[in-house]
Amino acid sequence: MRAPRTILLRPGADLTGFRDAARRLAAEGVPPEAVTWSLESAPSLFGSEAAPQADRPLSLPRAVAALIPQVVPHRDPERYGLLYALIWRALHGERHLMEVASDPLVHRLNLMAKAIGRDLHKMHAFLRFRRTTDDGDERYVAWFEPDHHILEAAAPFFVRRFAGMRWTILTPEGRAVWDGDALTYGPPGSRGDVPEGDGFEAGWQTYYETTFNPARVNPKAMRAEMPKKYWRNMPETASIPALLRGAAERTAQMIEREPTVPARREPARAVAAMADQDPKNLDELNAIIRRTEPLVPGATQAVLGEGPPGASVAFVGEQPGDQEDLKGRPFVGPAGQLLSRAMEEAGIDRGGSYLTNAVKHFKFTLRGKRRIHEKPTAGEVSHYRWWLDRELEFVAPKLVVALGATAVLALTGKAIPITRARGPFRFDRHETRFQGFITVHPSYLLRLPDEAKEEAYAAFVADLKRIATLGAELSA
């Protein structure tokens, strides 16, 4: 009879420890009934061994391998034993076990995975950061009490969503810390470590109150989607009792109030006003652009096109970024520096080319002290389109290059996928007719994961080489 084995794992969700142990135990032929899974905080009476390092990975069905990380964060103390039993059966003749939803083991593990999915959704939706200062530096802190051990599974979501912030998420079991470069984990915290509120929170509460629709109140559905255990960490919930009490009266007032036609912005009128200015050359057009207020307030200045009139190739981007707004020049930030490097590799003289943007003012969201780029809407692109048309008319390039989807929208009036139209293209909208070329915006390359950047950059340089050749042919 095989001696029982006790495997020691760290508390919480020890995915690495479990995988290593499961691989070694399966390789040694140790059945599930001969294994006891123990945590550091709950030592076994029979002694235990640390999770052994595995020599090689297991060849598991895809569905089984995908289920393991979904179940490991569960609080059920039997989770590791259940998962190893699933692995054992999959390796011993039941490779299609996950397709049998009625099997008691599969059914139980699927329920556990769904519980983890719900807990992750709640954390993503209901966690609220509060602003604080750390030695004069801005930082954001949040408190959350998950039902399961999901901190390490949930934290990467907040890295992607708030990459420009320095933040800490505290839970009763541990903390996740993002310093702008690296994500680390540390000891638990307490609710008292989080500030009581900040100015942004007060603004968010006001926004919630003004957008609350009393005619669609359904307290039962509200509690089902947003359980009361999360309310104390969410600023808007402080307003809910009063909003519910006044819902009937506010609904009656809405019914009695005469309907009104909402005020509409008229882009056509703004474009007509631009046309009335009737600049005679590029300098006059730029003077008009300089003294015109941005459509969306906040920009430091208009960022004009740069390059010689008559340039054979004109590059059209989306809108100025943070550095462009501060310096008043196009393509001088990180994306612009990448473009300059790629142009040099492709044999294109940046100084002899014309560079501009579809939108002339920087649009951003303020996040702490940082101005985070915000994509212009189709209406904003339409508002600036007349300026771009006249600008290209005065420059008169032989080839117009659209860098990214916003530039394509400005030049064609249509939303055209870059992947479908990438390459030579004829820009033929109303009076604007140019031989063109569509490629990605250099900022797209900066957002790619490291493993994909090299290939995408090489494709971008290849596009620029084709642009150089086409521009030379059209100028000949």
Side-chain angles (χ1 to χ4, degrees):
M1 181 177 177
R2 185 181 295 272
R5 300 281 291 276
T6 299
I7 301 299
L8 180 65
L9 299 176
R10 65 177 176 84
D14 191 357
L15 179 60
T16 301
F18 171 73
R19 280 175 168 162
D20 287 340
R23 290 167 182 165
R24 178 60 62 87
L25 292 169
E28 294 178 3
V30 181
E33 60 270 18
V35 183
T36 298
W37 300 88
S38 178
L39 302 179
E40 293 178 7
S41 57
S44 168
L45 296 174
F46 305 101
S48 58
E49 60 184 87
Q53 296 295 312
D55 295 327
R56 57 187 178 185
L58 296 174
S59 177
L60 293 174
R62 182 176 300 176
V64 174
L67 186 66
I68 292 172
Q70 298 177 43
V71 172
V72 164
H74 204 279
R75 283 198 180 276
D76 192 327
E78 298 181 9
R79 63 191 183 279
Y80 294 120
L82 296 172
L83 285 171
Y84 185 60
L86 179 72
I87 292 171
W88 181 266
R89 290 175 60 181
L91 294 175
H92 290 80
E94 297 184 72
R95 293 193 65 82
H96 300 289
L97 178 59
M98 286 298 298
E99 298 176 12
V100 187
S102 60
D103 182 273
L105 176 61
V106 173
H107 178 69
R108 184 174 176 183
L109 288 172
N110 279 331
L111 289 179
M112 294 167 72
K114 289 180 180 178
I116 295 301
R118 288 193 298 270
D119 207 24
L120 285 169
H121 169 72
K122 302 300 184 190
M123 187 167 183
H124 293 163
F126 302 145
L127 184 140
R128 295 289 185 268
F129 285 105
R130 290 183 169 96
R131 182 178 178 274
T132 184
T133 54
D134 180 10
D135 295 330
D137 292 331
E138 185 178 64
R139 172 171 285 278
Y140 293 81
V141 184
W143 169 255
F144 196 79
E145 300 174 50
D147 292 331
H148 301 281
H149 311 294
I150 62 168
L151 179 61
E152 293 185 22
F157 167 85
F158 295 100
V159 171
R160 294 190 297 272
R161 189 168 186 180
F162 303 111
M165 293 167 42
R166 295 170 61 243
W167 50 256
T168 300
I169 298 174
L170 302 174
T171 75
E173 293 185 349
R175 71 181 64 198
V177 180
W178 172 251
D179 64 4
D181 296 311
L183 177 64
T184 57
Y185 299 94
S190 68
R191 179 67 181 81
D193 296 330
V194 180
E196 286 301 318
D198 57 20
F200 175 81
E201 190 167 284
W204 171 251
Q205 185 170 343
T206 301
Y207 170 79
Y208 183 82
E209 292 171 358
T210 57
T211 58
F212 183 82
N213 188 345
R216 302 186 66 182
V217 169
N218 187 336
K220 184 176 180 180
M222 290 170 63
R223 286 191 295 269
E225 178 60 27
M226 186 170 63
K228 293 191 71 171
K229 66 169 285 187
Y230 302 110
W231 286 23
R232 60 177 175 168
N233 297 321
M234 303 175 66
E236 61 268 36
T237 55
S239 304
I240 289 178
L243 291 171
L244 291 177
R245 287 193 298 270
E249 181 180 352
R250 288 182 62 191
T251 302
Q253 293 173 355
M254 289 169 61
I255 294 173
E256 293 174 2
R257 192 179 303 127
E258 291 186 10
T260 57
V261 178
R264 297 183 59 187
R265 293 168 63 184
E266 299 186 34
R269 183 180 297 177
V271 172
M274 289 179 178
D276 288 342
Q277 297 164 344
D278 193 24
K280 300 299 188 295
N281 53 51
L282 187 60
D283 289 338
E284 289 186 13
L285 174 67
N286 285 339
I288 294 170
I289 297 174
R290 279 194 194 94
R291 63 175 179 261
T292 303
E293 291 294 320
L295 180 62
V296 178
T300 304
Q301 60 188 314
V303 178
L304 308 176
E306 185 175 271
S312 61
V313 181
F315 291 85
V316 179
E318 179 191 83
Q319 71 171 0
D322 179 76
Q323 292 300 308
E324 287 80 3
D325 175 70
L326 295 175
K327 297 179 181 178
R329 296 183 57 205
F331 292 98
V332 293
Q337 294 169 20
L338 182 65
L339 175 63
S340 296
R341 177 160 64 92
M343 291 174 71
E344 184 177 357
E345 291 184 26
I348 298 176
D349 176 20
R350 170 166 172 155
S353 304
Y354 190 83
L355 287 84
T356 190
N357 283 294
V359 174
K360 306 304 182 186
H361 293 97
F362 179 38
K363 178 184 176 183
F364 61 90
T365 299
L366 195 60
R367 191 173 296 163
K369 298 179 181 178
R370 301 186 183 186
R371 303 192 301 172
I372 307 301
H373 164 275
E374 189 174 339
K375 185 179 178 68
T377 66
E380 290 157 6
V381 173
S382 177
H383 174 84
Y384 286 91
R385 183 177 290 143
W386 183 84
W387 281 347
L388 178 65
D389 288 347
R390 294 304 305 272
E391 182 179 18
L392 293 176
E393 178 185 326
F394 290 134
V395 175
K398 297 293 189 286
L399 179 67
V400 175
V401 180
L403 299 172
T406 299
V408 174
L409 176 62
L411 291 165
T412 66
K414 302 175 183 178
I416 300 175
I418 300 299
T419 52
R420 192 182 75 192
R422 189 169 183 171
F425 194 92
R426 178 73 178 177
F427 297 126
D428 194 2
R429 184 182 59 80
H430 305 304
E431 294 81 19
T432 306
R433 294 181 175 86
F434 288 105
Q435 184 62 40
F437 195 100
I438 294 175
T439 186
V440 298
H441 194 283
S443 63
Y444 161 76
L445 304 177
L446 297 176
R447 296 192 299 268
L448 290 174
D450 291 341
E451 59 271 17
K453 280 183 178 177
E454 184 176 352
E455 181 178 354
Y457 178 75
F460 183 57
V461 172
D463 280 352
L464 293 178
K465 289 180 179 178
R466 294 176 66 191
I467 289 166
T469 300
L470 187 56
E473 293 173 352
L474 292 171
S475 300

